[in-house]
Amino acid sequence: IVPGQYVAADVATLDGKSAPTTLRGKTLAVSTSGGPKVNNASVVKADIGARNGVIHAIDTVLIPTM
């Protein structure tokens, strides 16, 4: 979970730069080369509206490191 609201157009500008920090204090790696990715997970559906923000569906479970 990342605080704030980031739509696909915002995420595209993060390619190769430091991404937002998660609520657990970890930084995500964002890439748009070969399709949008967060860490090693591919985004399969972007910009799903929710009451408390926006969701991007990915094809892998991200497991935080301790």
Short mmCIF file of all heavy atoms in Angstrom, two decimals:
data_model
loop_
_atom_site.label_atom_id
_atom_site.label_comp_id
_atom_site.label_asym_id
_atom_site.label_seq_id
_atom_site.Cartn_x
_atom_site.Cartn_y
_atom_site.Cartn_z
N ILE A 1 0.86 -1.17 0.00
CA ILE A 1 0.00 0.00 0.00
C ILE A 1 0.90 1.22 0.00
O ILE A 1 1.84 1.31 0.78
CB ILE A 1 -0.92 0.01 1.24
CG1 ILE A 1 -1.84 -1.20 1.20
CG2 ILE A 1 -1.71 1.30 1.29
CD1 ILE A 1 -2.69 -1.35 2.43
N VAL A 2 0.58 2.15 -0.89
CA VAL A 2 1.32 3.39 -1.01
C VAL A 2 0.37 4.54 -0.70
O VAL A 2 -0.72 4.60 -1.27
CB VAL A 2 1.89 3.54 -2.43
CG1 VAL A 2 2.60 4.87 -2.61
CG2 VAL A 2 2.82 2.40 -2.77
N PRO A 3 0.76 5.45 0.19
CA PRO A 3 -0.12 6.58 0.46
C PRO A 3 -0.22 7.50 -0.75
O PRO A 3 0.74 7.65 -1.51
CB PRO A 3 0.55 7.29 1.64
CG PRO A 3 1.95 6.80 1.69
CD PRO A 3 1.96 5.47 0.99
N GLY A 4 -1.37 8.07 -0.95
CA GLY A 4 -1.59 8.95 -2.09
C GLY A 4 -2.35 8.22 -3.18
O GLY A 4 -2.78 7.09 -3.01
N GLN A 5 -2.51 8.90 -4.29
CA GLN A 5 -3.22 8.31 -5.42
C GLN A 5 -2.38 8.50 -6.67
O GLN A 5 -2.06 9.61 -7.04
CB GLN A 5 -4.59 9.00 -5.58
CG GLN A 5 -5.43 8.39 -6.68
CD GLN A 5 -6.86 8.88 -6.63
OE1 GLN A 5 -7.47 8.86 -5.59
NE2 GLN A 5 -7.37 9.30 -7.76
N TYR A 6 -2.02 7.40 -7.30
CA TYR A 6 -1.19 7.41 -8.50
C TYR A 6 -1.91 6.69 -9.62
O TYR A 6 -2.12 5.49 -9.54
CB TYR A 6 0.16 6.73 -8.23
CG TYR A 6 0.96 7.42 -7.16
CD1 TYR A 6 0.82 7.08 -5.82
CD2 TYR A 6 1.84 8.44 -7.49
CE1 TYR A 6 1.54 7.72 -4.83
CE2 TYR A 6 2.56 9.09 -6.51
CZ TYR A 6 2.41 8.72 -5.19
OH TYR A 6 3.12 9.36 -4.22
N VAL A 7 -2.28 7.43 -10.67
CA VAL A 7 -2.90 6.80 -11.84
C VAL A 7 -1.78 6.39 -12.79
O VAL A 7 -0.61 6.74 -12.60
CB VAL A 7 -3.91 7.76 -12.52
CG1 VAL A 7 -5.08 8.04 -11.60
CG2 VAL A 7 -3.24 9.04 -12.96
N ALA A 8 -2.13 5.64 -13.81
CA ALA A 8 -1.13 5.10 -14.74
C ALA A 8 -0.25 6.20 -15.33
O ALA A 8 0.97 6.01 -15.47
CB ALA A 8 -1.82 4.31 -15.84
N ALA A 9 -0.80 7.34 -15.67
CA ALA A 9 0.00 8.43 -16.24
C ALA A 9 1.06 8.92 -15.25
O ALA A 9 2.17 9.26 -15.64
CB ALA A 9 -0.91 9.58 -16.65
N ASP A 10 0.74 8.93 -13.94
CA ASP A 10 1.71 9.32 -12.92
C ASP A 10 2.82 8.29 -12.81
O ASP A 10 3.99 8.63 -12.68
CB ASP A 10 1.04 9.46 -11.55
CG ASP A 10 -0.03 10.53 -11.51
OD1 ASP A 10 0.10 11.52 -12.25
OD2 ASP A 10 -0.98 10.37 -10.73
N VAL A 11 2.45 7.03 -12.85
CA VAL A 11 3.42 5.94 -12.70
C VAL A 11 4.38 5.93 -13.88
O VAL A 11 5.57 5.67 -13.71
CB VAL A 11 2.69 4.59 -12.55
CG1 VAL A 11 3.66 3.43 -12.53
CG2 VAL A 11 1.84 4.59 -11.27
N ALA A 12 3.91 6.26 -15.06
CA ALA A 12 4.78 6.26 -16.25
C ALA A 12 5.93 7.25 -16.10
O ALA A 12 7.02 7.01 -16.61
CB ALA A 12 3.95 6.59 -17.49
N THR A 13 5.72 8.33 -15.35
CA THR A 13 6.79 9.32 -15.16
C THR A 13 7.83 8.86 -14.16
O THR A 13 8.87 9.48 -14.02
CB THR A 13 6.21 10.68 -14.70
OG1 THR A 13 5.63 10.52 -13.41
CG2 THR A 13 5.19 11.21 -15.67
N LEU A 14 7.57 7.78 -13.44
CA LEU A 14 8.50 7.27 -12.44
C LEU A 14 9.51 6.28 -12.99
O LEU A 14 10.34 5.77 -12.26
CB LEU A 14 7.72 6.58 -11.30
CG LEU A 14 6.80 7.45 -10.49
CD1 LEU A 14 5.99 6.59 -9.52
CD2 LEU A 14 7.58 8.52 -9.75
N ASP A 15 9.47 5.97 -14.27
CA ASP A 15 10.33 4.95 -14.86
C ASP A 15 11.79 5.17 -14.48
O ASP A 15 12.37 6.19 -14.83
CB ASP A 15 10.17 4.93 -16.37
CG ASP A 15 10.94 3.79 -17.02
OD1 ASP A 15 11.12 2.75 -16.37
OD2 ASP A 15 11.35 3.94 -18.18
N GLY A 16 12.36 4.22 -13.75
CA GLY A 16 13.76 4.28 -13.38
C GLY A 16 14.08 5.23 -12.24
O GLY A 16 15.22 5.36 -11.85
N LYS A 17 13.10 5.92 -11.70
CA LYS A 17 13.32 6.85 -10.60
C LYS A 17 12.84 6.21 -9.31
O LYS A 17 12.18 5.18 -9.31
CB LYS A 17 12.55 8.15 -10.84
CG LYS A 17 12.97 8.89 -12.09
CD LYS A 17 12.13 10.10 -12.28
CE LYS A 17 12.47 10.76 -13.62
NZ LYS A 17 11.51 11.78 -13.98
N SER A 18 13.15 6.84 -8.21
CA SER A 18 12.64 6.36 -6.94
C SER A 18 11.13 6.47 -6.92
O SER A 18 10.58 7.51 -7.24
CB SER A 18 13.22 7.17 -5.79
OG SER A 18 14.58 6.91 -5.65
N ALA A 19 10.50 5.39 -6.56
CA ALA A 19 9.05 5.35 -6.50
C ALA A 19 8.61 5.72 -5.09
O ALA A 19 9.41 5.81 -4.17
CB ALA A 19 8.57 3.95 -6.87
N PRO A 20 7.31 5.92 -4.93
CA PRO A 20 6.81 6.23 -3.60
C PRO A 20 7.16 5.13 -2.60
O PRO A 20 7.37 3.98 -2.95
CB PRO A 20 5.29 6.29 -3.80
CG PRO A 20 5.10 6.50 -5.26
CD PRO A 20 6.27 5.86 -5.92
N THR A 21 7.20 5.52 -1.34
CA THR A 21 7.50 4.59 -0.26
C THR A 21 6.21 3.97 0.25
O THR A 21 5.21 4.66 0.41
CB THR A 21 8.23 5.33 0.87
OG1 THR A 21 9.40 5.94 0.33
CG2 THR A 21 8.63 4.40 1.99
N THR A 22 6.25 2.68 0.52
CA THR A 22 5.07 1.98 1.03
C THR A 22 4.82 2.38 2.49
O THR A 22 5.68 3.01 3.13
CB THR A 22 5.25 0.46 0.97
OG1 THR A 22 6.28 0.09 1.89
CG2 THR A 22 5.60 -0.01 -0.43
N LEU A 23 3.68 2.00 3.01
CA LEU A 23 3.37 2.28 4.41
C LEU A 23 4.34 1.58 5.36
O LEU A 23 4.50 1.98 6.50
CB LEU A 23 1.93 1.89 4.74
CG LEU A 23 0.85 2.74 4.07
CD1 LEU A 23 -0.53 2.24 4.44
CD2 LEU A 23 1.00 4.21 4.42
N ARG A 24 5.01 0.53 4.88
CA ARG A 24 6.01 -0.19 5.70
C ARG A 24 7.40 0.41 5.55
O ARG A 24 8.37 -0.10 6.08
CB ARG A 24 6.05 -1.65 5.30
CG ARG A 24 4.77 -2.40 5.67
CD ARG A 24 4.92 -3.84 5.40
NE ARG A 24 5.94 -4.38 6.31
CZ ARG A 24 5.82 -5.52 6.95
NH1 ARG A 24 4.74 -6.24 6.79
NH2 ARG A 24 6.78 -5.96 7.73
N GLY A 25 7.53 1.50 4.77
CA GLY A 25 8.81 2.18 4.63
C GLY A 25 9.71 1.63 3.55
O GLY A 25 10.89 1.98 3.49
N LYS A 26 9.21 0.78 2.68
CA LYS A 26 10.00 0.20 1.59
C LYS A 26 9.77 0.98 0.30
O LYS A 26 8.67 1.46 0.03
CB LYS A 26 9.64 -1.26 1.36
CG LYS A 26 9.79 -2.14 2.58
CD LYS A 26 11.22 -2.24 3.01
CE LYS A 26 11.33 -3.14 4.23
NZ LYS A 26 12.67 -3.24 4.74
N THR A 27 10.81 1.10 -0.53
CA THR A 27 10.69 1.78 -1.82
C THR A 27 10.40 0.75 -2.90
O THR A 27 11.02 -0.32 -2.92
CB THR A 27 11.99 2.53 -2.15
OG1 THR A 27 12.26 3.47 -1.12
CG2 THR A 27 11.87 3.27 -3.47
N LEU A 28 9.49 1.08 -3.80
CA LEU A 28 9.15 0.19 -4.91
C LEU A 28 9.97 0.56 -6.13
O LEU A 28 10.25 1.74 -6.37
CB LEU A 28 7.66 0.31 -5.24
CG LEU A 28 6.69 -0.09 -4.13
CD1 LEU A 28 5.27 0.26 -4.53
CD2 LEU A 28 6.82 -1.57 -3.82
N ALA A 29 10.34 -0.42 -6.94
CA ALA A 29 11.02 -0.19 -8.20
C ALA A 29 9.98 -0.17 -9.30
O ALA A 29 9.21 -1.11 -9.46
CB ALA A 29 12.03 -1.30 -8.46
N VAL A 30 9.93 0.92 -10.06
CA VAL A 30 8.95 1.07 -11.13
C VAL A 30 9.68 1.11 -12.47
O VAL A 30 10.67 1.80 -12.63
CB VAL A 30 8.12 2.36 -10.95
CG1 VAL A 30 7.17 2.57 -12.10
CG2 VAL A 30 7.36 2.32 -9.64
N SER A 31 9.16 0.34 -13.43
CA SER A 31 9.74 0.29 -14.77
C SER A 31 8.61 0.28 -15.80
O SER A 31 7.56 -0.30 -15.56
CB SER A 31 10.58 -0.97 -14.94
OG SER A 31 10.97 -1.13 -16.28
N THR A 32 8.83 0.95 -16.92
CA THR A 32 7.84 0.90 -18.01
C THR A 32 8.41 0.20 -19.24
O THR A 32 7.71 0.04 -20.22
CB THR A 32 7.37 2.32 -18.39
OG1 THR A 32 8.49 3.11 -18.77
CG2 THR A 32 6.64 2.98 -17.23
N SER A 33 9.65 -0.23 -19.17
CA SER A 33 10.27 -0.94 -20.28
C SER A 33 9.63 -2.32 -20.43
O SER A 33 9.64 -3.11 -19.49
CB SER A 33 11.77 -1.08 -20.01
OG SER A 33 12.38 -1.79 -21.05
N GLY A 34 9.07 -2.59 -21.59
CA GLY A 34 8.41 -3.87 -21.82
C GLY A 34 7.06 -3.97 -21.12
O GLY A 34 6.60 -5.06 -20.82
N GLY A 35 6.46 -2.86 -20.82
CA GLY A 35 5.18 -2.83 -20.11
C GLY A 35 5.40 -2.42 -18.66
O GLY A 35 6.48 -2.63 -18.12
N PRO A 36 4.39 -1.82 -18.04
CA PRO A 36 4.57 -1.32 -16.68
C PRO A 36 4.79 -2.45 -15.67
O PRO A 36 4.11 -3.47 -15.71
CB PRO A 36 3.27 -0.57 -16.40
CG PRO A 36 2.28 -1.12 -17.36
CD PRO A 36 3.05 -1.58 -18.56
N LYS A 37 5.77 -2.22 -14.78
CA LYS A 37 6.09 -3.21 -13.74
C LYS A 37 6.34 -2.48 -12.42
O LYS A 37 6.87 -1.38 -12.40
CB LYS A 37 7.33 -4.00 -14.10
CG LYS A 37 7.14 -4.92 -15.26
CD LYS A 37 8.39 -5.74 -15.48
CE LYS A 37 8.27 -6.45 -16.76
NZ LYS A 37 8.26 -7.61 -17.12
N VAL A 38 5.99 -3.16 -11.34
CA VAL A 38 6.32 -2.73 -9.99
C VAL A 38 7.11 -3.87 -9.38
O VAL A 38 6.61 -4.99 -9.29
CB VAL A 38 5.06 -2.43 -9.17
CG1 VAL A 38 5.42 -2.05 -7.75
CG2 VAL A 38 4.23 -1.34 -9.82
N ASN A 39 8.35 -3.57 -8.99
CA ASN A 39 9.30 -4.61 -8.62
C ASN A 39 9.34 -5.60 -9.78
O ASN A 39 9.63 -5.19 -10.89
CB ASN A 39 8.96 -5.24 -7.28
CG ASN A 39 9.20 -4.28 -6.12
OD1 ASN A 39 9.65 -3.16 -6.31
ND2 ASN A 39 8.90 -4.72 -4.93
N ASN A 40 9.03 -6.86 -9.61
CA ASN A 40 9.03 -7.81 -10.74
C ASN A 40 7.63 -8.18 -11.18
O ASN A 40 7.46 -9.12 -11.95
CB ASN A 40 9.81 -9.08 -10.35
CG ASN A 40 11.29 -8.80 -10.22
OD1 ASN A 40 11.84 -8.00 -10.96
ND2 ASN A 40 11.92 -9.44 -9.27
N ALA A 41 6.63 -7.46 -10.73
CA ALA A 41 5.24 -7.77 -11.07
C ALA A 41 4.76 -6.90 -12.22
O ALA A 41 4.96 -5.69 -12.22
CB ALA A 41 4.35 -7.54 -9.85
N SER A 42 4.14 -7.52 -13.21
CA SER A 42 3.58 -6.78 -14.34
C SER A 42 2.19 -6.27 -13.99
O SER A 42 1.40 -6.98 -13.37
CB SER A 42 3.47 -7.69 -15.57
OG SER A 42 4.75 -8.09 -15.99
N VAL A 43 1.91 -5.04 -14.39
CA VAL A 43 0.58 -4.47 -14.19
C VAL A 43 -0.32 -5.03 -15.29
O VAL A 43 -0.04 -4.87 -16.48
CB VAL A 43 0.62 -2.93 -14.25
CG1 VAL A 43 -0.78 -2.35 -14.14
CG2 VAL A 43 1.53 -2.38 -13.16
N VAL A 44 -1.39 -5.72 -14.91
CA VAL A 44 -2.29 -6.32 -15.89
C VAL A 44 -3.54 -5.49 -16.10
O VAL A 44 -4.19 -5.61 -17.13
CB VAL A 44 -2.67 -7.78 -15.51
CG1 VAL A 44 -1.45 -8.68 -15.56
CG2 VAL A 44 -3.31 -7.85 -14.15
N LYS A 45 -3.89 -4.65 -15.14
CA LYS A 45 -5.01 -3.73 -15.29
C LYS A 45 -4.73 -2.53 -14.41
O LYS A 45 -4.50 -2.67 -13.21
CB LYS A 45 -6.33 -4.39 -14.90
CG LYS A 45 -7.53 -3.50 -15.15
CD LYS A 45 -8.82 -4.28 -15.13
CE LYS A 45 -10.01 -3.38 -15.19
NZ LYS A 45 -10.44 -3.01 -16.49
N ALA A 46 -4.78 -1.35 -15.02
CA ALA A 46 -4.45 -0.12 -14.29
C ALA A 46 -5.70 0.72 -14.05
O ALA A 46 -6.72 0.56 -14.71
CB ALA A 46 -3.44 0.69 -15.09
N ASP A 47 -5.57 1.62 -13.10
CA ASP A 47 -6.58 2.65 -12.83
C ASP A 47 -7.96 2.09 -12.49
O ASP A 47 -8.98 2.51 -13.03
CB ASP A 47 -6.69 3.64 -13.99
CG ASP A 47 -5.40 4.40 -14.23
OD1 ASP A 47 -4.54 4.44 -13.32
OD2 ASP A 47 -5.24 4.97 -15.32
N ILE A 48 -8.01 1.16 -11.57
CA ILE A 48 -9.28 0.64 -11.07
C ILE A 48 -9.69 1.55 -9.92
O ILE A 48 -9.01 1.60 -8.89
CB ILE A 48 -9.14 -0.81 -10.59
CG1 ILE A 48 -8.60 -1.70 -11.73
CG2 ILE A 48 -10.46 -1.34 -10.05
CD1 ILE A 48 -8.12 -3.06 -11.27
N GLY A 49 -10.77 2.28 -10.09
CA GLY A 49 -11.22 3.23 -9.08
C GLY A 49 -11.75 2.53 -7.84
O GLY A 49 -12.41 1.50 -7.93
N ALA A 50 -11.45 3.09 -6.68
CA ALA A 50 -11.95 2.59 -5.40
C ALA A 50 -12.31 3.80 -4.54
O ALA A 50 -11.88 4.92 -4.82
CB ALA A 50 -10.89 1.74 -4.71
N ARG A 51 -13.09 3.57 -3.50
CA ARG A 51 -13.49 4.68 -2.64
C ARG A 51 -12.31 5.35 -1.97
O ARG A 51 -12.33 6.55 -1.72
CB ARG A 51 -14.45 4.21 -1.55
CG ARG A 51 -15.87 4.11 -1.99
CD ARG A 51 -16.79 3.93 -0.84
NE ARG A 51 -16.24 2.95 0.11
CZ ARG A 51 -16.93 2.35 1.03
NH1 ARG A 51 -18.20 2.60 1.16
NH2 ARG A 51 -16.36 1.47 1.84
N ASN A 52 -11.29 4.59 -1.67
CA ASN A 52 -10.16 5.16 -0.94
C ASN A 52 -8.90 5.33 -1.80
O ASN A 52 -7.81 5.46 -1.29
CB ASN A 52 -9.83 4.29 0.27
CG ASN A 52 -9.46 2.87 -0.11
OD1 ASN A 52 -9.67 2.45 -1.25
ND2 ASN A 52 -8.92 2.13 0.83
N GLY A 53 -9.04 5.32 -3.11
CA GLY A 53 -7.89 5.54 -3.98
C GLY A 53 -8.03 4.84 -5.30
O GLY A 53 -9.13 4.71 -5.84
N VAL A 54 -6.93 4.39 -5.84
CA VAL A 54 -6.91 3.71 -7.12
C VAL A 54 -6.07 2.44 -6.98
O VAL A 54 -5.10 2.41 -6.23
CB VAL A 54 -6.36 4.65 -8.24
CG1 VAL A 54 -4.91 4.98 -8.03
CG2 VAL A 54 -6.57 4.06 -9.61
N ILE A 55 -6.48 1.40 -7.70
CA ILE A 55 -5.82 0.11 -7.63
C ILE A 55 -5.24 -0.23 -8.99
O ILE A 55 -5.84 0.07 -10.03
CB ILE A 55 -6.83 -1.00 -7.23
CG1 ILE A 55 -7.43 -0.69 -5.87
CG2 ILE A 55 -6.18 -2.37 -7.25
CD1 ILE A 55 -8.64 -1.54 -5.55
N HIS A 56 -4.08 -0.87 -8.98
CA HIS A 56 -3.47 -1.40 -10.20
C HIS A 56 -3.28 -2.89 -9.96
O HIS A 56 -2.53 -3.30 -9.08
CB HIS A 56 -2.13 -0.73 -10.49
CG HIS A 56 -2.23 0.76 -10.58
ND1 HIS A 56 -2.87 1.40 -11.61
CD2 HIS A 56 -1.79 1.72 -9.74
CE1 HIS A 56 -2.81 2.70 -11.42
NE2 HIS A 56 -2.15 2.92 -10.28
N ALA A 57 -3.95 -3.72 -10.74
CA ALA A 57 -3.85 -5.18 -10.58
C ALA A 57 -2.53 -5.66 -11.17
O ALA A 57 -2.14 -5.25 -12.26
CB ALA A 57 -5.01 -5.87 -11.26
N ILE A 58 -1.85 -6.53 -10.41
CA ILE A 58 -0.57 -7.08 -10.86
C ILE A 58 -0.66 -8.60 -10.91
O ILE A 58 -1.58 -9.18 -10.36
CB ILE A 58 0.58 -6.63 -9.94
CG1 ILE A 58 0.32 -7.02 -8.48
CG2 ILE A 58 0.81 -5.12 -10.06
CD1 ILE A 58 1.45 -6.70 -7.53
N ASP A 59 0.30 -9.21 -11.60
CA ASP A 59 0.25 -10.65 -11.81
C ASP A 59 1.04 -11.48 -10.80
O ASP A 59 1.21 -12.68 -10.95
CB ASP A 59 0.73 -11.00 -13.22
CG ASP A 59 2.19 -10.68 -13.45
OD1 ASP A 59 2.82 -10.05 -12.57
OD2 ASP A 59 2.70 -11.04 -14.52
N THR A 60 1.54 -10.84 -9.75
CA THR A 60 2.37 -11.50 -8.75
C THR A 60 2.06 -10.91 -7.39
O THR A 60 1.74 -9.74 -7.27
CB THR A 60 3.87 -11.25 -9.06
OG1 THR A 60 4.14 -11.69 -10.38
CG2 THR A 60 4.79 -11.95 -8.11
N VAL A 61 2.19 -11.72 -6.36
CA VAL A 61 2.04 -11.23 -5.00
C VAL A 61 3.38 -10.62 -4.58
O VAL A 61 4.42 -11.25 -4.70
CB VAL A 61 1.65 -12.37 -4.03
CG1 VAL A 61 1.63 -11.87 -2.60
CG2 VAL A 61 0.32 -12.96 -4.44
N LEU A 62 3.35 -9.38 -4.11
CA LEU A 62 4.56 -8.74 -3.60
C LEU A 62 4.66 -9.08 -2.11
O LEU A 62 3.78 -8.77 -1.33
CB LEU A 62 4.50 -7.23 -3.79
CG LEU A 62 4.41 -6.74 -5.22
CD1 LEU A 62 4.32 -5.22 -5.25
CD2 LEU A 62 5.58 -7.22 -6.04
N ILE A 63 5.75 -9.71 -1.73
CA ILE A 63 5.96 -10.09 -0.34
C ILE A 63 7.02 -9.15 0.24
O ILE A 63 8.16 -9.14 -0.24
CB ILE A 63 6.40 -11.55 -0.23
CG1 ILE A 63 5.30 -12.45 -0.81
CG2 ILE A 63 6.71 -11.92 1.22
CD1 ILE A 63 5.65 -13.90 -0.89
N PRO A 64 6.65 -8.37 1.25
CA PRO A 64 7.62 -7.43 1.82
C PRO A 64 8.74 -8.15 2.56
O PRO A 64 8.54 -9.20 3.15
CB PRO A 64 6.78 -6.59 2.78
CG PRO A 64 5.58 -7.41 3.09
CD PRO A 64 5.36 -8.31 1.91
N THR A 65 9.91 -7.55 2.49
CA THR A 65 11.04 -8.08 3.26
C THR A 65 10.96 -7.50 4.65
O THR A 65 10.43 -6.42 4.87
CB THR A 65 12.38 -7.69 2.61
OG1 THR A 65 12.44 -6.27 2.51
CG2 THR A 65 12.53 -8.33 1.25
N MET A 66 11.49 -8.22 5.59
CA MET A 66 11.44 -7.75 6.99
C MET A 66 12.55 -6.81 7.29
O MET A 66 13.46 -6.54 6.81
CB MET A 66 11.48 -8.92 7.94
CG MET A 66 10.27 -9.77 7.77
SD MET A 66 8.83 -8.75 7.97
CE MET A 66 7.69 -9.90 8.58
#
